[in-house]
């Protein structure tokens, strides 16, 4: 049997099935309980938006139903060139394959750093900290403004490829926000205005090396995304992402040349709970390394978020109080290392 060299995290720790990485029994993923028969909807963005006005198109209806029932969907025929998607996953993969000393220059536990490499972990009573079987690299992005001076110069194409990808993502995010707004019966620019013209945009690349025993580890623990909207690109040929549907974990198998769209907490609050931000996690696998690249769209700190007035009436009283995004993020960091329940802290008591 050939011996593979263990992946070195940027902090120089080799990934291994040592106590640092093994989950307590009650937190293990139980992969035999995951049902591949079900998955999230696949939506073709070429299903034409018949009437741009009042959300009466089949595309708007499909997106609205997916947002209500799943909080997740995959999109195909989205207009982002296939070669560009392949290139961006390739440069991200190359970044994680750089020597650990080179990645270590971005290693930090300071949340305020814009460009950072870090590792997810969970704290368990009496067991201390368990590190997840992955490494994460996060930095800002913007469709028009120059952000590339913040990015690594190695791999050499990283800056150029990411800038081109960001431009395409900006257009795709606008289109998705417009369709999601129409699905709520709102003006198509409503969500974009509520989240704020100067949104906070950042990306997160996750690298999951193969794991000798995926039943003992986790790539990223169960969580909700705290932003407004996430668009995820994942490697083809290997499954790791799973979402909760009807209290069961469902795998999100990569569909060729697709994106996974994931509604996050701010849209759940803005929609007054009509659209869902659901739990998801990333499990590990024995065969292949897996890479995912999430592009996040979030409000700025000073934006006030709360249920949209047009969605509130006697039958649908507000479920959340208004808060500034800064306040939301403070609550998020207060729950560090735990299974976070952030938006729940802003629920109004019935």
């Amino acid at each position: 049997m050939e011996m593979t060299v263990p992946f070195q995290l940027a902090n120089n720790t080799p990934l291994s099935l040592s106590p640092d990485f093994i989950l307590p029994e009650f937190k293990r993923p139980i992969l035999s309980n995951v049902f591949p028969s079900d998955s999230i909807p696949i939506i073709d963005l070429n299903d034409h938006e018949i009437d741009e006005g009042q959300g009466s198109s089949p595309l708007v209806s499909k997106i609205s139903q997916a947002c209500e029932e799943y909080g997740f969907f995959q999109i195909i025929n989205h207009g982002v060139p296939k070669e560009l998607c392949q290139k961006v996953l390739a440069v991200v993969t190359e970044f994680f394959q750089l020597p650990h000393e080179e990645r270590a220059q971005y290693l930090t536990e300071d949340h305020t750093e814009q460009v950072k490499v870090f590792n997810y972990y969970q704290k368990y009573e009496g067991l201390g900290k368990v590190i997840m079987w992955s490494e994460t690299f996060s930095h800002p992005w913007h469709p028009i403004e120059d952000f590339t001076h913040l990015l690594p110069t190695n791999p050499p194409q990283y800056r150029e490829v990411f800038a081109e990808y960001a431009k395409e993502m900006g257009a795709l995010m606008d289109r998705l926000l417009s369709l999601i707004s129409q699905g709520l019966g709102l003006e198509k620019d409503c969500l974009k205005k509520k989240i704020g013209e100067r949104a906070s945009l950042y990306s997160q690349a996750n690298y999951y090396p193969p794991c000798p025993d995926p039943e003992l580890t986790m790539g990223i623990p169960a969580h909700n995304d705290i932003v407004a909207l996430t668009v995820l690109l994942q490697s083809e040929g290997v499954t790791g992402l799973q979402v909760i549907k009807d209290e069961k974990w469902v795998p999100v198998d990569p569909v060729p040349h697709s994106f996974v769209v994931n509604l996050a907490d701010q849209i759940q609050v803005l929609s007054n709970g009509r659209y869902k931000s659901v739990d998801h996690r990333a499990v590990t696998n024995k065969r292949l390394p897996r890479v995912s690249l999430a592009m996040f769209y979030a409000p700025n700190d000073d934006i006030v978020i709360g249920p949209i007035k047009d969605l509130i009436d006697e039958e649908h009283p507000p479920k959340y109080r208004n808060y500034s995004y800064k306040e939301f993020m403070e609550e998020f960091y207060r729950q560090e290392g735990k299974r976070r329940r952030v938006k729940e802290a802003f629920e109004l008591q019935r």
Side-chain angles (χ1 to χ4, degrees):
M1 239 178 92
E2 63 175 285
M3 290 297 290
T4 50
V5 178
F7 179 75
Q8 295 280 120
L9 296 176
N11 65 8
N12 201 14
T13 309
L15 277 186
S16 65
L17 287 177
S18 65
D20 285 349
F21 298 97
I22 294 179
L23 294 163
E25 265 183 59
F26 65 97
K27 282 294 177 187
R28 290 178 191 168
I30 318 176
L31 299 173
S32 53
N33 284 359
V34 174
F35 295 91
S37 54
D38 312 310
S39 199
I40 64 174
I42 297 164
I43 297 177
D44 184 341
L45 287 195
N46 267 353
D47 279 358
H48 292 296
E49 297 142 73
I50 296 166
D51 169 15
E52 286 287 330
Q54 290 309 308
S56 54
S57 82
L59 179 56
V60 167
S61 310
K62 281 179 190 163
I63 285 182
S64 184
Q65 190 178 356
C67 293
E68 284 188 18
E69 291 180 20
Y70 291 85
F72 264 84
F73 51 96
Q74 296 201 67
I75 52 173
I76 55 172
N77 292 322
H78 43 67
V80 182
K82 183 177 180 179
E83 296 69 34
L84 181 55
C85 294
Q86 289 169 336
K87 266 195 224 164
V88 79
L89 276 185
V91 293
V92 162
T93 305
E94 273 178 61
F95 174 81
F96 287 111
Q97 288 169 349
L98 292 172
H100 69 86
E101 301 88 345
E102 203 163 334
R103 302 192 318 273
Q105 63 185 307
Y106 303 106
L107 193 61
T108 180
E109 289 181 9
D110 177 357
H111 304 302
T112 61
E113 287 289 337
Q114 285 193 290
V115 180
K116 54 193 172 213
V117 165
F118 60 93
N119 302 100
Y120 282 100
Y121 64 87
Q122 294 273 274
K123 285 183 194 152
Y124 299 109
E125 292 279 321
L127 284 168
K129 200 157 97 166
V130 176
I131 304 162
M132 299 299 117
W133 197 273
S134 60
E135 185 160 279
T136 296
F137 181 43
S138 177
H139 59 69
W141 67 276
H142 200 279
I144 12 185
E145 289 169 19
D146 179 37
F147 64 96
T148 57
H149 59 282
L150 298 166
L151 306 188
T153 50
N154 198 16
Q157 303 83 23
Y158 195 99
R159 291 180 167 192
E160 182 193 341
V161 169
F162 221 97
E164 201 183 329
Y165 188 69
K167 197 180 294 175
E168 293 284 349
M169 275 295 121
L172 182 60
M173 290 273 189
D174 282 354
R175 188 169 178 214
L176 288 167
L177 286 168
S178 161
L179 290 164
I180 294 165
S181 289
Q182 291 172 68
L184 289 165
L186 302 165
E187 293 294 323
K188 58 164 91 163
D189 60 355
C190 180
L191 281 175
K192 188 167 180 176
K193 280 183 173 162
K194 293 286 181 198
I195 296 161
E197 289 301 328
R198 292 205 51 78
S200 168
L201 306 172
Y202 58 103
S203 67
Q204 183 172 305
N206 305 301
Y207 186 72
Y208 308 95
C211 174
D213 191 346
E215 292 283 0
L216 301 180
T217 60
M218 188 69 77
I220 290 184
H223 66 286
N224 306 91
D225 285 4
I226 52 172
V227 295
L229 189 65
T230 305
V231 176
L232 181 89
L233 177 62
Q234 49 175 352
S235 347
E236 290 179 16
V238 54
T239 302
L241 176 63
Q242 299 179 345
V243 306
I244 278 277
K245 175 76 171 96
D246 302 326
E247 297 180 19
K248 287 197 205 81
W249 287 107
V250 170
V252 180
D253 294 327
V255 170
H257 195 34
S258 68
F259 289 111
V260 177
V261 179
N262 154 201
L263 291 196
D265 286 354
Q266 306 316 310
I267 286 184
Q268 176 163 329
V269 171
L270 288 161
S271 74
N272 200 30
R274 185 167 142 193
Y275 284 178
K276 305 283 181 282
S277 165
V278 302
D279 281 6
H280 51 288
R281 66 184 187 181
V283 297
T284 60
N285 84 93
K286 273 184 184 171
R287 288 186 313 121
L288 295 165
R290 176 174 170 265
V291 180
S292 68
L293 175 60
M295 302 293 267
F296 293 129
Y297 192 103
N300 263 331
D301 276 358
D302 51 0
I303 295 288
V304 173
I305 297 286
I308 292 170
K309 291 208 170 30
D310 290 353
L311 303 178
I312 294 171
D313 55 32
E314 274 187 33
E315 282 176 35
H316 306 93
K319 292 182 176 169
Y320 303 91
R321 71 169 175 85
N322 289 3
Y323 53 81
S324 72
Y325 193 60
K326 182 172 196 279
E327 196 183 345
F328 191 89
M329 290 308 295
E330 284 165 357
E331 179 62 34
F332 173 78
Y333 289 126
R334 236 196 316 278
Q335 299 184 23
E336 182 84 52
K338 300 192 190 85
R339 170 66 188 92
R340 288 178 163 119
R341 299 281 178 205
V342 186
K343 61 185 174 298
E344 291 76 0
F346 300 92
E347 283 177 354
L348 292 169
Q349 298 308 311
R350 282 284 189 286

